[in-house]
Amino acid sequence: MTNRKELFNDVIDHMSKIEGAPMSKPEMSSLPLGIRIIGYALIGFTALASLLFIILTLLD
């Protein structure tokens, strides 16, 4: 994870170290296969359900 954001003051750096919050988004290719499959399935299901909802409301 080389895409770490620069912190603009020491307070944010201190809180980040205490809370352990990541400062950058993880890359999808670095996640385990199971988590990637679940993520893709959820995104695909949401997109498909939204599209189906739009089509059914237009037909009604």
Side-chain angles (χ1 to χ4, degrees), residues 5 8 10-11 15 18 21-22 24 26-27 36 39 54:
K5 294 181 181 177
F8 57 92
D10 293 334
V11 176
M15 287 302 293
I18 290 175
S24 63
E27 296 176 15
R36 279 188 284 163
I54 290 171

Side-chain angles (χ1 to χ4, degrees), residues 12-41:
I12 302 297
D13 183 42
H14 180 69
M15 287 302 293
S16 172
K17 288 179 183 174
I18 290 175
E19 293 175 356
M23 294 302 293
S24 63
K25 287 184 165 182
E27 296 176 15
M28 281 299 280
S29 61
S30 68
L31 294 175
L33 180 63
I35 293 176
R36 279 188 284 163
I37 290 173
I38 291 170
Y40 291 140

Side-chain angles (χ1 to χ4, degrees), residues 37-58:
I37 290 173
I38 291 170
Y40 291 140
L42 286 174
I43 291 170
F45 175 76
T46 303
L48 187 63
S50 299
L51 184 63
L52 187 62
F53 177 74
I54 290 171
I55 290 172
L56 290 178
T57 55
L58 291 176

